[in-house]
Amino acid sequence: MAYTLRVEAAQAVGSVPILQAMGVRLVDVRPGFAAAELPPEPNVNHFGVTYAGSLFSVAEMLGGVLCLATFDLEPGGELDGCVPIVKESTIRFRRPAVGVVRAEASLPDAEVTRIRRDALATGKAEFVLEARLTDAHGEVVSTAIGTYQLRIMSA
Amino acid sequence: MAYTLRVEAAQAVGSVPILQAMGVRLVDVRPGFAAAELPPEPNVNHFGVTYAGSLFSVAEMLGGVLCLATFDLEPGGELDGCVPIVKESTIRFRRPAVGVVRAEASLPDAEVTRIRRDALATGKAEFVLEARLTDAHGEVVSTAIGTYQLRIMSA
């Protein structure tokens, strides 16, 4: 498996202590795609399955990671100063999650182009990202649909 | 302020290690009502505001805590064997959350009566709970709407 981890994406996880505490681990990050894994411990709830809030977190953070891997947000880059913000998210818990959970999300090329164009033109671009969470058997345990904005951060 | 903490409700938080790691603290729990607080650390993200996943978690867990404080789920109780399960949740992030966040949710008496009746009759009752998250100034930072089930847990 190819591990393409942009430094900024890895730092984004590392800079949120509670994501580190969950053990969230980026496993495949490249332009238009992000995947992460969530281990059972310390995310297991009192029913012995992965806690809803941890499932939400590993799904939600993909939006930020994907932006960092897809758009040139670095100092001096064409979208320097833009940051990804989550506006709203709906998560559906489809079945109990046991073991390591993998979350992944992608943006089609045309959507990447549209977001980049909107952000360059107006300093703001909204997009919707669907994250799919699966267990070790490939069964979908949750799906999450997040609405994000990539926008110039006000000082 | 009156602190009415049912032992089972406190145990529900204590039995999910990641909620403990977030520092989630029940502050007012009684039949039909639950409130909890979330401290900034270790929930602050790379923008210096409270991370979305932690806001989600403190909102979501109110559903379980409220059930434990409202219905008689204890061994030998009238709803012994029933557990609260979250099916779906939508959270809207309205403004950046800074400082201690308070989350609260309530169920009207008529809804408590309806849920109890449905659970007794069919072993399953669905309900919707809105959680309101406010900062130290009382400003709403997020709102979350969760769909829960109180149902007999299969062995």
Side-chain angles (χ1 to χ4, degrees), chain A residues 108-119:
Chain A
D109 288 349
E111 184 64 350
V112 168
T113 302
R114 197 269 307 164
I115 294 165
R116 177 176 166 273
R117 191 181 58 225
D118 285 0

Side-chain angles (χ1 to χ4, degrees), chain A residues 14-70:
Chain A
S15 65
V16 183
I18 201 67
L19 286 175
Q20 284 193 294
M22 288 177 190
V24 168
R25 195 168 66 88
L26 299 177
V27 293
D28 191 0
V29 180
R30 41 193 156 84
F33 183 85
E37 283 182 353
L38 178 76
E41 294 297 344
N43 304 296
V44 173
N45 71 9
H46 46 302
F47 303 132
V49 301
T50 299
Y51 173 58
S54 300
L55 293 172
F56 176 91
S57 298
V58 72
E60 186 287 320
M61 55 82 70
L62 293 179
V65 166
L66 201 146
C67 277
L68 288 165
T70 306

Side-chain angles (χ1 to χ4, degrees), chain B residues 23-154:
Chain B
V24 168
R25 195 167 66 87
L26 299 177
V27 293
D28 191 359
V29 180
R30 42 193 156 85
F33 183 86
E37 283 182 353
L38 178 75
E41 294 296 343
N43 304 295
V44 173
N45 71 8
H46 46 302
F47 304 132
V49 300
T50 299
Y51 173 59
S54 300
L55 293 173
F56 176 90
S57 298
V58 71
E60 187 285 320
M61 55 82 70
L62 293 179
V65 166
L66 200 147
C67 278
L68 288 166
T70 305
F71 304 105
D72 189 3
L73 311 181
E74 290 159 77
E78 66 172 11
L79 290 173
D80 178 12
C82 278
V83 293
I85 307 277
V86 62
K87 301 300 289 179
E88 183 174 311
S89 185
T90 296
I91 183 164
R92 182 153 178 218
F93 302 99
R94 294 176 181 273
R95 66 181 71 206
V98 178
V100 173
V101 170
R102 177 186 170 95
E104 61 176 62
S106 61
L107 282 177
D109 288 349
E111 184 65 349
V112 168
T113 301
R114 197 268 310 162
I115 295 165
R116 176 177 167 273
R117 190 181 58 226
D118 285 1
L120 282 170
T122 69
K124 187 159 77 173
E126 194 160 293
F127 64 97
V128 171
L129 193 69
E130 178 164 357
R132 200 165 160 273
L133 281 67
T134 50
D135 64 17
H137 305 293
E139 297 281 355
V140 175
V141 295
S142 295
T143 47
I145 296 178
T147 302
Y148 297 81
Q149 270 183 0
L150 185 64
R151 70 175 184 211
I152 298 281
M153 177 114 116
S154 47

